Amino acid sequence: MTETTHTQTKPGPRPAGDGLSNSPEFRLAMDALAGLRADLLDDPFAYRPLPPRDKPGQIARALPGRLRPYAVWTRHALVCAAAMLAVLVSFAGSAGSLFEALVLSVFSAGPILLTLVRPVGAFWFSLTSLPVVAVIGQSGSGDWPLLPASIVAHLVVLTVVAARTRPRTAAWMWALTAAYCMVAEGLFGNRYFSSNAVPFLFVSALALLVVTVLLVRRAAEQEVTAQQTVTARERSKRTLLEERSTIARELHDVVAHHMMVVAIQAEAAPYRVEDPPEELAKAFATIRENAVAALTELRRVLGVVRAEDYEAPDAPQPTLADLDALLANVRETGLAVDKVVTGAVRELPQGVELSAYRIVQEALSNTLRHAPGASARVEIGYVLGGLGLRIVNGPAAEASFVKQTPTQGAGQGLTGMRERVSMLNGEMTTAPTADGGYEVTVFLPAASIADEGGEGA
C-alpha cells in the first residue's frame, strides 16, 4: 500500500482593490474619464479653423447673383451674428458703467468667436466666464446662476462646438455645465429670487440633442454614400472581369478552331502531292507539331478562365452574317429595330466580327432594359481600315402603355462593350440624343481577310 499525503494551501490575501479594478462599473468609469480626457482635456486649445463649405448651399438661391459666391461663408456669418446678439444683450442687461458693459461683451462674445478657430478652448472659455459674468453683472437680485448674456453666449457655444465635434463631446459639455449650475445654485442660490439653471439645462439639452441627431444622420448618409460608391466600383470591376473571361473563352474557341485547321491541313498536305520531297514532308510535319503544341499550350493557359459548368459551343461563334437572326429575335420581343449597311461588305477577322456582333447584342439588350417601347436603329459601315457601328434608340414610351421589364439590370453593359473595343484598339462613344434616346458609336480597326492573306504572302 502507498500512502499519499495531500497538502492544502490557503489562498493568499488578495491585493487591495483588485476586485474593484476588475468590476464592469470601474472599467466603465475609467472609459468615461478617458473619453473626457480625449475630448476636452488633451490639447484643448488646438487650432482647428472652420473651413468654408465646398459649394454654396440652398441659401445661395435666395441671394443676389454677385453675393452667391460668398454663400460658402454662411456658417461664419451666423456665428458672428450670434456674437453681435450677445453684445447687444450684454449692453441691454448692464445697469452699471460702460466699462462693465464692455467687459460683459468680451466675456460673452469672445467664446462665440473663438468657436471658429479653437472649438474646445471656446467651451472652456465660456464655462469659466459664467461665474465672472455673474459676479460682474449681478446687482444682487434677479435670476441665478446665469445672466441673459451668459445664457445666449453659452447656448451658442455648446451648439457650435457640438456641431464641430462629436456626440460624446456634447454630452461631456452638458454634464460639466450642469455640474457648474448645481454647485453655483447650492452655494449662492438662496440669495436670489429664482433659479434659471433647470430651464437652461433643459433648453441646452434639446439643442444638443437636435445637433447630435443631425450629426448621426449626416454620418450615416456619408457612410451609405461611400458604401454605394464602393459597391458600384466593385460591381463594375466584377462585370469587367466577367466580360474579360467571356472574351477569353471566345478567343480560345476562335483560335483553337483555326489552329486545329492548320494542324489538319499540314497533316494532309503531303498526300495532295505525288511523291513529295522529303524536305517538304518534314516541313509540313514540323508545322503540324508546332500547331498541336500551340493548341495544347493555348488550352492550358486560357482554359483556366472557363467556368466549371462551361461547355464549348457546338456551333461556331456568331459573326455579322448572323446579325439578321439576332434582329429577328429582338423584334419578337416587341422592339422595332432597323438595320442599315453602308460600304462594300467584306469578310473581316473573326475576332472583329464576333466583337461587333456582341456589341450590337448588348446595345439592343440595354434598349430593352432601359427604354421599353422605344425603336432602335443599327447602322453598320464598312470603311477603309475598319468597321463602324452606330446603335441608336429613341426615348422610352409612356409607362402606361408599355409593360415594364421585370428587371432593369445592373447598368454595366457599357463596361463589357468598352472592354471589347479596348481589346481591338478601337474607339467608342456613348451619349444621350436630343430626343431623349441614347446612342452608341464604335469604330473597330481591322483589315479584310484578303488583305491579311496578301500581306502574309
Side-chain angles (χ1 to χ4, degrees), residues 31 39 68 85 101 124 126 131 137 145 176 228 248 278 291 308 311 389 406 421 428 437:
D31 293 340
D39 293 339
R68 289 180 182 177
L85 177 62
W124 288 113
S126 179
L176 292 175
Q228 290 177 347
E278 184 179 356
E308 295 181 358
E311 295 181 358
L389 297 174
V421 174
M428 173 178 170

mmCIF file of all heavy atoms in Angstrom, residues 31 39 68 85 101 124 126 131 137 145 176 228 248 278 291 308 311 389 406 421 428 437:
data_model
loop_
_atom_site.group_PDB
_atom_site.id
_atom_site.type_symbol
_atom_site.label_atom_id
_atom_site.label_comp_id
_atom_site.label_asym_id
_atom_site.label_seq_id
_atom_site.Cartn_x
_atom_site.Cartn_y
_atom_site.Cartn_z
ATOM 1 N N ASP A 31 -13.301 54.236 -18.640
ATOM 2 C CA ASP A 31 -13.506 54.546 -20.051
ATOM 3 C C ASP A 31 -14.143 55.920 -20.217
ATOM 4 O O ASP A 31 -13.797 56.672 -21.154
ATOM 5 C CB ASP A 31 -14.381 53.479 -20.704
ATOM 6 C CG ASP A 31 -13.691 52.125 -20.787
ATOM 7 O OD1 ASP A 31 -12.439 52.101 -20.699
ATOM 8 O OD2 ASP A 31 -14.394 51.102 -20.924
ATOM 9 N N ASP A 39 -11.580 64.147 -25.227
ATOM 10 C CA ASP A 39 -12.435 65.114 -25.908
ATOM 11 C C ASP A 39 -12.186 66.553 -25.468
ATOM 12 O O ASP A 39 -12.215 67.471 -26.297
ATOM 13 C CB ASP A 39 -13.909 64.771 -25.676
ATOM 14 C CG ASP A 39 -14.302 63.469 -26.351
ATOM 15 O OD1 ASP A 39 -13.593 63.058 -27.281
ATOM 16 O OD2 ASP A 39 -15.314 62.869 -25.939
ATOM 17 N N ARG A 68 -23.750 85.348 -54.299
ATOM 18 C CA ARG A 68 -23.824 83.894 -54.189
ATOM 19 C C ARG A 68 -22.467 83.232 -53.976
ATOM 20 O O ARG A 68 -22.383 82.239 -53.253
ATOM 21 C CB ARG A 68 -24.497 83.323 -55.438
ATOM 22 C CG ARG A 68 -25.985 83.632 -55.497
ATOM 23 C CD ARG A 68 -26.634 83.067 -56.747
ATOM 24 N NE ARG A 68 -28.060 83.410 -56.807
ATOM 25 C CZ ARG A 68 -28.857 83.096 -57.801
ATOM 26 N NH1 ARG A 68 -28.365 82.421 -58.853
ATOM 27 N NH2 ARG A 68 -30.131 83.437 -57.779
ATOM 28 N N LEU A 85 -25.341 89.487 -31.243
ATOM 29 C CA LEU A 85 -26.512 89.393 -30.376
ATOM 30 C C LEU A 85 -26.101 89.334 -28.911
ATOM 31 O O LEU A 85 -26.740 89.969 -28.050
ATOM 32 C CB LEU A 85 -27.328 88.153 -30.755
ATOM 33 C CG LEU A 85 -28.561 87.871 -29.886
ATOM 34 C CD1 LEU A 85 -29.566 89.014 -29.985
ATOM 35 C CD2 LEU A 85 -29.216 86.552 -30.299
ATOM 36 N N ALA A 101 -20.174 97.110 -19.174
ATOM 37 C CA ALA A 101 -20.818 96.563 -20.367
ATOM 38 C C ALA A 101 -19.792 96.006 -21.346
ATOM 39 O O ALA A 101 -20.009 94.956 -21.976
ATOM 40 C CB ALA A 101 -21.655 97.645 -21.037
ATOM 41 N N TRP A 124 -14.270 75.921 -22.810
ATOM 42 C CA TRP A 124 -13.681 76.207 -21.502
ATOM 43 C C TRP A 124 -13.714 77.708 -21.199
ATOM 44 O O TRP A 124 -13.932 78.119 -20.054
ATOM 45 C CB TRP A 124 -12.252 75.682 -21.445
ATOM 46 C CG TRP A 124 -12.160 74.186 -21.374
ATOM 47 C CD1 TRP A 124 -11.670 73.348 -22.310
ATOM 48 C CD2 TRP A 124 -12.586 73.366 -20.283
ATOM 49 N NE1 TRP A 124 -11.757 72.033 -21.890
ATOM 50 C CE2 TRP A 124 -12.318 72.015 -20.643
ATOM 51 C CE3 TRP A 124 -13.180 73.621 -19.050
ATOM 52 C CZ2 TRP A 124 -12.623 70.954 -19.807
ATOM 53 C CZ3 TRP A 124 -13.475 72.547 -18.218
ATOM 54 C CH2 TRP A 124 -13.200 71.234 -18.597
ATOM 55 N N SER A 126 -15.980 79.792 -22.278
ATOM 56 C CA SER A 126 -17.365 80.121 -21.953
ATOM 57 C C SER A 126 -17.751 79.619 -20.571
ATOM 58 O O SER A 126 -18.445 80.309 -19.816
ATOM 59 C CB SER A 126 -18.289 79.524 -23.012
ATOM 60 O OG SER A 126 -19.644 79.800 -22.715
ATOM 61 N N PRO A 131 -19.188 82.298 -14.129
ATOM 62 C CA PRO A 131 -19.145 82.961 -12.812
ATOM 63 C C PRO A 131 -18.615 84.389 -12.891
ATOM 64 O O PRO A 131 -19.028 85.245 -12.095
ATOM 65 C CB PRO A 131 -18.219 82.057 -11.994
ATOM 66 C CG PRO A 131 -17.406 81.328 -12.993
ATOM 67 C CD PRO A 131 -18.279 81.144 -14.179
ATOM 68 N N GLY A 137 -21.885 91.325 -13.425
ATOM 69 C CA GLY A 137 -23.144 91.902 -13.862
ATOM 70 C C GLY A 137 -24.298 91.717 -12.926
ATOM 71 O O GLY A 137 -25.386 92.230 -13.189
ATOM 72 N N PRO A 145 -28.091 80.914 -11.710
ATOM 73 C CA PRO A 145 -26.717 81.446 -11.731
ATOM 74 C C PRO A 145 -26.296 81.993 -13.085
ATOM 75 O O PRO A 145 -25.115 82.249 -13.309
ATOM 76 C CB PRO A 145 -25.894 80.212 -11.388
ATOM 77 C CG PRO A 145 -26.643 79.091 -12.034
ATOM 78 C CD PRO A 145 -28.098 79.464 -11.956
ATOM 79 N N LEU A 176 -20.702 68.991 -17.655
ATOM 80 C CA LEU A 176 -19.902 69.973 -16.921
ATOM 81 C C LEU A 176 -20.702 71.243 -16.663
ATOM 82 O O LEU A 176 -20.586 71.868 -15.583
ATOM 83 C CB LEU A 176 -18.636 70.291 -17.698
ATOM 84 C CG LEU A 176 -17.624 69.144 -17.807
ATOM 85 C CD1 LEU A 176 -16.458 69.539 -18.702
ATOM 86 C CD2 LEU A 176 -17.109 68.740 -16.430
ATOM 87 N N GLN A 228 -22.213 52.840 -51.237
ATOM 88 C CA GLN A 228 -22.769 52.737 -52.581
ATOM 89 C C GLN A 228 -21.701 52.946 -53.640
ATOM 90 O O GLN A 228 -21.700 52.280 -54.681
ATOM 91 C CB GLN A 228 -23.895 53.754 -52.752
ATOM 92 C CG GLN A 228 -25.155 53.433 -51.962
ATOM 93 C CD GLN A 228 -26.210 54.513 -52.104
ATOM 94 O OE1 GLN A 228 -25.929 55.609 -52.587
ATOM 95 N NE2 GLN A 228 -27.423 54.207 -51.675
ATOM 96 N N ALA A 248 -12.082 35.940 -73.270
ATOM 97 C CA ALA A 248 -11.009 34.943 -73.311
ATOM 98 C C ALA A 248 -11.526 33.583 -73.760
ATOM 99 O O ALA A 248 -10.862 32.875 -74.531
ATOM 100 C CB ALA A 248 -10.350 34.837 -71.928
ATOM 101 N N GLU A 278 11.250 14.824 -99.463
ATOM 102 C CA GLU A 278 11.376 14.547 -98.028
ATOM 103 C C GLU A 278 11.412 15.836 -97.213
ATOM 104 O O GLU A 278 10.854 15.914 -96.114
ATOM 105 C CB GLU A 278 12.622 13.716 -97.782
ATOM 106 C CG GLU A 278 12.792 13.286 -96.322
ATOM 107 C CD GLU A 278 14.023 12.439 -96.115
ATOM 108 O OE1 GLU A 278 14.710 12.116 -97.115
ATOM 109 O OE2 GLU A 278 14.284 12.087 -94.956
ATOM 110 N N ALA A 291 1.725 23.455 -84.491
ATOM 111 C CA ALA A 291 0.317 23.820 -84.332
ATOM 112 C C ALA A 291 -0.322 23.061 -83.181
ATOM 113 O O ALA A 291 -1.068 23.628 -82.372
ATOM 114 C CB ALA A 291 -0.436 23.564 -85.628
ATOM 115 N N GLU A 308 -16.645 26.288 -64.267
ATOM 116 C CA GLU A 308 -16.712 24.840 -64.095
ATOM 117 C C GLU A 308 -17.831 24.223 -64.922
ATOM 118 O O GLU A 308 -17.719 23.092 -65.392
ATOM 119 C CB GLU A 308 -16.917 24.514 -62.608
ATOM 120 C CG GLU A 308 -15.727 24.922 -61.745
ATOM 121 C CD GLU A 308 -15.962 24.566 -60.302
ATOM 122 O OE1 GLU A 308 -17.064 24.045 -59.997
ATOM 123 O OE2 GLU A 308 -15.070 24.787 -59.474
ATOM 124 N N GLU A 311 -19.277 24.849 -71.175
ATOM 125 C CA GLU A 311 -19.069 23.858 -72.219
ATOM 126 C C GLU A 311 -18.827 24.585 -73.530
ATOM 127 O O GLU A 311 -19.501 25.572 -73.852
ATOM 128 C CB GLU A 311 -20.297 22.946 -72.353
ATOM 129 C CG GLU A 311 -20.555 22.094 -71.109
ATOM 130 C CD GLU A 311 -21.758 21.194 -71.301
ATOM 131 O OE1 GLU A 311 -22.387 21.281 -72.390
ATOM 132 O OE2 GLU A 311 -22.079 20.422 -70.376
ATOM 133 N N LEU A 389 -19.810 51.106 -86.273
ATOM 134 C CA LEU A 389 -21.111 50.694 -85.736
ATOM 135 C C LEU A 389 -21.777 51.891 -85.077
ATOM 136 O O LEU A 389 -21.122 52.693 -84.401
ATOM 137 C CB LEU A 389 -20.956 49.570 -84.707
ATOM 138 C CG LEU A 389 -20.374 48.244 -85.181
ATOM 139 C CD1 LEU A 389 -20.171 47.317 -83.983
ATOM 140 C CD2 LEU A 389 -21.290 47.587 -86.196
ATOM 141 N N PRO A 406 -39.288 43.032 -66.017
ATOM 142 C CA PRO A 406 -39.235 42.716 -64.601
ATOM 143 C C PRO A 406 -37.947 43.150 -63.942
ATOM 144 O O PRO A 406 -37.936 43.464 -62.774
ATOM 145 C CB PRO A 406 -39.387 41.183 -64.580
ATOM 146 C CG PRO A 406 -39.002 40.728 -65.948
ATOM 147 C CD PRO A 406 -39.374 41.830 -66.872
ATOM 148 N N VAL A 421 -14.018 46.847 -77.201
ATOM 149 C CA VAL A 421 -13.453 47.863 -78.081
ATOM 150 C C VAL A 421 -11.995 48.121 -77.715
ATOM 151 O O VAL A 421 -11.135 48.267 -78.595
ATOM 152 C CB VAL A 421 -14.286 49.159 -77.995
ATOM 153 C CG1 VAL A 421 -13.624 50.282 -78.783
ATOM 154 C CG2 VAL A 421 -15.696 48.914 -78.518
ATOM 155 N N MET A 428 -14.855 54.210 -78.864
ATOM 156 C CA MET A 428 -16.268 54.082 -78.532
ATOM 157 C C MET A 428 -16.737 55.334 -77.828
ATOM 158 O O MET A 428 -16.065 55.860 -76.935
ATOM 159 C CB MET A 428 -16.501 52.853 -77.637
ATOM 160 C CG MET A 428 -17.915 52.729 -77.098
ATOM 161 S SD MET A 428 -18.123 51.232 -76.098
ATOM 162 C CE MET A 428 -19.734 51.527 -75.383
ATOM 163 N N GLY A 437 -33.292 59.805 -76.420
ATOM 164 C CA GLY A 437 -32.816 58.433 -76.588
ATOM 165 C C GLY A 437 -31.352 58.290 -76.191
ATOM 166 O O GLY A 437 -30.824 59.087 -75.403
#
